[in-house]
Amino acid sequence: MNPDSSIRFEFLPSEDEAARKNGWGSGILYVLDIPYWYSNSDVQPHPVEWTWVDLLEHVASNWGALVFEQSYPFSWLNDVAHPGDVWNVAERRWARLGDELAEAEETELLAFERRHNLAAAWKGLSLPSLTLMRNGGVCWICVDGRAPIRAPFEECRTALVSICDALAQSFEGSPNPRVASAVNRWRNRGVTAKNSFFRSVTGMSQELLAAVQGDADPFEFWGVAANDPWADGLVEEGPLLAAARMTAGICDGATIRRVLDAIRRVPRGKLDALDRISAQARQHLQRAPAQYAFSSGYAAAEFVRETLGRDRRVRFEIETVFAELGIDVTPLDLGKETIDAVAVWGTRGPCVILNLDRQHISPERTRMTLAHELGHLVLDRAGGLPFCEVLGGTVDDFMERRANAFAAELLLPRSIVEYRRTTKRATIGDFVAALKQDFGVSKSVACAQIYNSHVFASLTSQEQRFLESRLNLTANAFGSQNAIKVQPTGDVM
């Protein structure tokens, strides 16, 4: 196994043949090359000696969820920062809304956690939590006592296949019915995964799924080959399934169908120019990784401006850049105001569909939306957002924060806010109005960029209160490691 992988297993079957046939062996799980599942002590970690058939049984039973499920069981969980924060959000909700609701929702949430927490596999053995949840081309790895990790999904999938193949090979031919059943279930995991694929990948209920696809053959409707490699978990979902997953918690079947029809009409374009700047931006960020989503977005926006040769002192013409990069903009009625825009790429596009039901009558609002989508197109096509992104739908919070920060910094760099403040004295209201006029942003975006720049500390307490009231903040609501999030609509979240 690759020692640089985010997670990896080391396993040895029991030397005693009878114990091995009963599923026994010893192993260690490493997270970022540090022992995480082990026995003895931190100083001298030893392998865990146990019935490792527990792990094989669990992964085989939940294979479809581990490789395809990318949605939370309730729409109110869509804004969680990462899967490890699910229970904190749930407990706050239940404390506010009562025990009756908690009892109704807890069972489903427990089932979700069990599918994704590999520590739930062990029977009679307590090991620390290890939650894996896919998000497009990346995978959240949430462990106890450490910051959550965003790792390549392929890395995690390969690690699971490798350990389970090793376990199945070790236990092959066992006369123990449970062990034999676990081996057989692993060998036939593709059948189970295929049967649950559309529900797993969209997060839809069976009723909503039926309402969207009607009487059509699901494989034909969604553009998925029936003979895809289900056992390997390598089935490509495509833009239709990705859009369905992002809209499932906020739209009815008819609206989802309209979104899918709009995507079907997007022609295939050229990705060469967009691919070049995307690769350069990702390499730039890898050389100096940012700890927070917003700082990553800021750095990417600065790089894109410089690479495109745009002077930060003047208004950024986002529509011109879209034309240069071969990104089409198509206004359409999508049937629901919740959705702001849909970005499409890969097998179709690149294209941004602007939802006319959101009334894009403000140029500042449209510019912020397009800048937000450019952030996804530049940064997320090779990672967490495969083929499609729905603005206003269910999207990973990390990527939304980064795209919002990217958009605000692209349109109004904080360095220019700082320069303008030192060269042109004005009341804070006039300063905000001038930034809005000169850079084509909303007043909310201008206020947020002032707040997130060094200018804020130099303002009088009255001026700071003006910004905080405009942003609906209380003083000191955000520490230095946080940035105000601004929605692509131009409103503060």
Side-chain angles (χ1 to χ4, degrees), residues 114-135:
R114 180 171 179 79
R115 292 194 296 272
H116 292 274
N117 182 7
L118 299 191
W122 304 97
K123 297 173 174 62
L125 178 66
S126 179
L127 290 175
S129 172
L130 177 69
T131 299
L132 304 180
M133 186 171 177
R134 182 180 180 179
N135 186 235

Side-chain angles (χ1 to χ4, degrees), residues 441-460:
V441 297
S442 69
K443 287 185 177 180
S444 292
V445 171
C447 288
Q449 288 299 85
I450 296 170
Y451 186 97
N452 291 327
S453 72
H454 295 302
V455 168
F456 185 78
S458 68
L459 299 178
T460 66

Side-chain angles (χ1 to χ4, degrees), residues 14 19 25 29 42 52 60 88 101 111 113 145 172-174 184 199-200 209 250 261 301 311 328 357 377 379 385 459:
S14 175
L29 164 69
D42 295 347
W52 277 68
N88 292 330
L101 183 67
E113 181 193 37
E172 195 77 63
S174 171
N184 184 63
R199 284 202 61 189
S200 293
L209 196 57
I250 60 168
D261 288 342
D311 188 339
D328 290 331
D357 290 299
L377 288 166
L379 297 173
L385 288 174
L459 299 178

